[in-house]
DNA sequence: GTTGCCTATGCAACTGAGTGCATAGCAGAG
DNA sequence: CTCTGCTATGCACTCAGTTGCATAGGCAAC
């Protein structure tokens, strides 16, 4: 499980509240890890009990108070230990692949629309990533350690989206070959 | 959830027992979906209760009896309905990406070994996929519908592994640039 | 002054998936 | 004739993650 560790990294990059973390998980960190605010609050509570993070009540004006979390020494060493632990590559779960094979027993037309829809989603994500790259890493030669690493991860996301789009084009061509009338 | 549907597709391609399904999930279907035998037996039981599959006790010689499952009409229409239902692209969960960003707060050396290990795993998978491609689709021009679709899915797996290997090379170069002495 | 929206935190219930363990038939090695 | 290993099925426990719901402060629009 890496949600704890993703939160630790995010809090090391910038301390913040559960709400702020949830928003980050919609943005940069969310490029490669997702979490809802409920999960984040639950895990933060557990991490607080385990002494991995420190909490500080912060009064804000114009907004409700928030609890600002920051990484404690125990959290830092937990992260350090995890970094030394081997993790297995994520197991692949791909609904669309199941659907594609299922077309052998059903009508392809519905799937073509679905594949086109997925392609659009991946194109949108790619554009989103490329915008983020242009905004955050305009001069890749002049980055600090943290930015260099963030950029490497983002390049992974970009490569993933591009690969996906190419493959979906391949799938669409295959489906059309099976059904030349569509 | 698509495990049910992956099982339906697999049983449509070829009826079989839970044990046989588990082995298929280590091979062709496992290229893009994984499941342990416990999961498969549990889901098969549920699918049987829901009338999605039919069971037939088969006596074998030299081996224990098995239950051979095949897709019932209700299962076929459930699959058909699911095909028409939009599914969302899988959420990305990438431990390694978390680890890469974490390196900003720790020593890179341990991660380099981990990245090399992951690269080896993906190279092995790529070779495995390419062998499967050579074995099962030696003449891509002369395939039936089912094989054409299976091949398209396999090409996706191949593209995924290649993309991953290239990205890990990129990451390794980045890590070495940060630590020229390693 | 009520309605809608954003910030902010959280509980409860459910579900999917993983881990560990148990059982049993049968074969071949030693 | 026992041990190892493969085939074959399954239960129990645990945990991560999703969904739905609840609460509450403050702001702006109408």
């Amino acid at each position: 499980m890496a949600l704890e560790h993703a939160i630790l990294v995010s809090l090391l990059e910038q301390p913040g509240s559960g709400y702020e973390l949830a928003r980050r998980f919609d943005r940069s960190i969310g490029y490669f890890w997702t979490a809802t605010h409920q999960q984040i609050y639950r895990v933060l509570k557990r991490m607080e009990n385990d002494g991995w993070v420190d909490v500080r009540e912060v009064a804000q004006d114009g907004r409700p108070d928030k609890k600002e979390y920051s990484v404690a020494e125990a959290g830092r060493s937990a992260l350090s230990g995890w970094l030394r632990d081997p993790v297995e590559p994520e197991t692949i779960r791909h609904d669309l692949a199941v659907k594609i094979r299922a077309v052998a027993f059903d009508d392809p037309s519905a799937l073509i629309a679905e594949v086109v829809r997925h392609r659009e989603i991946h194109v949108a994500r790619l554009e989103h990533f490329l915008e983020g790259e242009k905004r955050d890493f305009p001069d890749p030669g002049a980055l600090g350690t943290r930015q260099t690493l963030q950029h490497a991860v983002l390049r992974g996301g970009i490569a993933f989206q591009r690969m996906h789009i190419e493959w979906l084009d391949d799938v669409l061509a295959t489906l059309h070959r099976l059904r030349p009338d569509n």
Side-chain angles (χ1 to χ4, degrees), chain A residues 16-81:
Chain A
S17 68
Y19 190 82
E20 285 161 352
L21 282 170
R23 276 188 308 182
R24 291 183 211 168
F25 274 77
D26 284 336
R27 297 175 37 250
S28 64
I29 311 257
Y31 292 166
F32 53 88
W33 203 274
T34 58
T36 60
H37 74 272
Q38 288 90 340
Q39 276 177 69
I40 290 167
Y41 283 121
R42 202 189 316 144
V43 171
L44 275 174
K45 183 131 291 187
R46 184 168 67 231
M47 289 166 79
E48 191 190 333
N49 290 335
D50 294 346
W52 288 20
V53 290
D54 294 320
V55 202
R56 200 169 59 95
E57 285 273 346
V58 177
Q60 307 184 102
D61 56 84
R63 302 176 170 192
D65 299 352
K66 66 173 181 178
K67 296 182 182 177
E68 195 182 76
Y69 291 89
S70 51
V71 178
E73 198 41 49
R76 202 176 250 272
S77 60
L79 184 64
S80 200

Side-chain angles (χ1 to χ4, degrees), chain A residues 91-146:
Chain A
T91 56
I92 308 155
R93 292 282 158 89
H94 210 300
D95 298 83
L96 206 55
V98 178
K99 286 196 171 192
I100 290 165
R101 281 176 80 136
V103 159
F105 310 97
D106 211 299
D107 173 32
S109 346
L111 188 67
I112 289 178
E114 175 85 333
V115 172
V116 167
R117 199 175 63 83
H118 277 246
R119 190 187 185 284
E120 280 163 9
I121 292 170
H122 289 289
V123 166
R125 287 187 188 171
L126 174 61
E127 278 165 12
H128 183 221
F129 286 7
L130 288 174
E131 272 168 37
E133 190 183 32
K134 209 195 266 179
R135 185 185 63 243
D136 299 332
F137 314 106
D139 182 4
L143 296 174
T145 301
R146 189 183 301 182

